Amino acid sequence: MLKSSFKLSKFVLLICLMNFLFFHYPFFKYIFSNVDYTSFSGALLCFSMLILVVLANYFFFYLLFFVSKIIGKFFTILFFLINSIAVYFINSYSVIIDESMIGNILNTNFDESSSFFSFKLIIYLVCFGILPSIFIFKAKIEKITLKKFLINSGINLGLILLIVVANASNVLWIDKNSKVVGGLAMPWSYAVNTPLYYIHQAKKNQKEILLPDAKITNNEKSVVVLVIGESARSENFSLYGYSKNTNPLLSQTENVFSFNATSCATYTTAGVKCILEHENTSDLYEILPNYLNRNDVEVIWRTTNWGEPPVHIQNYKKREDLFVNCKGVGCDYDEVLLNGLKDEILNAKKNKILIVLHTSTSHGPTYSKKYPPEFEVFKPVCNSVEVANCSQNELINAYDNTIIYTDYILYNVIETLKEFPEYKSSMIYVSDHGESLGEKNLYMHGVPMSLAPKQQYEIPFIVWVSDGSKELKKNNALTQNHVFHSVLNFLSVDSPIYKEEMNIYK
């Protein structure tokens, strides 16, 4: 039987121990995997981090409950519920709840978020979130005097200070690993990084910085289709030497070139921003579609995805807009982006056209739901949202089928452009970031760049050019920023910020 009432210090200690036991396995797994705990300094660090987690949470919750039992219970229950969900994703997908991951969570649409739903998630929520919350809600807590609060708090802070001083020799390790350690500590990972995300977003989105005016240097009809991929890693494209034939159509198409490239980040919002900006920066400069639209280029944006910076053009269409007049099974997938594409070019009022297709084809965890049944070439496939429960072969098969479907979409873009011989045309395909498929026990993407495996940042950069339009440079290693300057070059847009060394065309 539970006690009818608790002293505040004992209740808060119990809450902290529950928080420690339920939600900090990934935290200490990381520390013990990256520290030589057989040495004195390593053992001291491991022990100190264990005590520090309890003490830091104790001070916070003790203060919260002293100020108000109602406020204390509200936030403690809220933290336990969120912690249970956060730890599910950490354990299932090896994510780190840092500032960039908070951005991913807050910007994820309903279709994507619903794809993560699983019975295992419900178990985590009930066992680690709801049941402890019922106990917290019903618990009776005795009042304490201000004097006792100050004494206990002083002892707590003194112990924290002592531990910090004792680990002076481990400062370099703590500094180097602070982003990951902070991203695994509950509830601090999201409690700190969420307001940081909003602060930084407010600074970024104050007002986009306009680029200098540009001018079009000729009247030749030119069109570029920029296809922004989602979670595509070059390692699984046969154009890059992959053993399985994931590019059966593009490999047989003339004037198709593939280049080694890396992304600026491992998550969508930063990756797409980098593709569309003239240089990699934390500032919000005028992005490519806005810039060209302002400088007399016809710009068309079609998307089944999300996460791009603000796009200020008239012809902006989402999945639901494209779906209206679409027919066939492909309309439920990224083929909907091709619906009416030919008419967009036919109805263009200007000689220079940029069309952006923002796809979602290879986004996990439900890779097998991202392509029509006829593209399930590699079998068996993983059909579970809990990708760690599938064999790596099943997971890779499902992912490879999304690449085959991407190959089909890109081939059809090229075939559409071939129907306009009066235009000089080019297609550029570049992914926002890569993807982990179980290597080193990592899944999907979003690991900080300083720690990310190559699978999360080595991306495909595939280019097609029409006969008689332009040739390509050798281009050994490209970045996402090459897109901006290359599109300017192909469309004959002269700008003061244009960089020839960032242009892929001769």
Side-chain angles (χ1 to χ4, degrees), residues 380-393:
V381 299
C382 174
N383 289 308
S384 173
V385 66
E386 297 171 26
V387 291
N389 293 338
C390 296
S391 70
Q392 191 173 33
N393 181 56

Side-chain angles (χ1 to χ4, degrees), residues 210-272:
L210 295 181
L211 298 175
D213 291 345
K215 62 180 180 179
I216 297 171
T217 59
N218 62 52
N219 291 320
E220 291 178 334
K221 287 193 170 187
S222 305
V223 56
V224 174
V225 177
L226 169 61
V227 184
I228 300 175
E230 169 63 65
S231 305
R233 66 187 205 182
S234 55
E235 186 176 305
N236 288 58
F237 282 67
S238 53
L239 288 176
Y240 287 85
Y242 189 45
S243 58
K244 292 156 74 172
N245 187 14
T246 53
N247 299 123
L249 298 172
L250 290 181
S251 61
Q252 302 299 316
T253 303
E254 293 184 356
N255 301 334
V256 169
F257 305 88
S258 57
F259 304 99
N260 294 324
T262 55
S263 62
C264 298
T266 61
Y267 57 101
T268 298
T269 50
V272 175

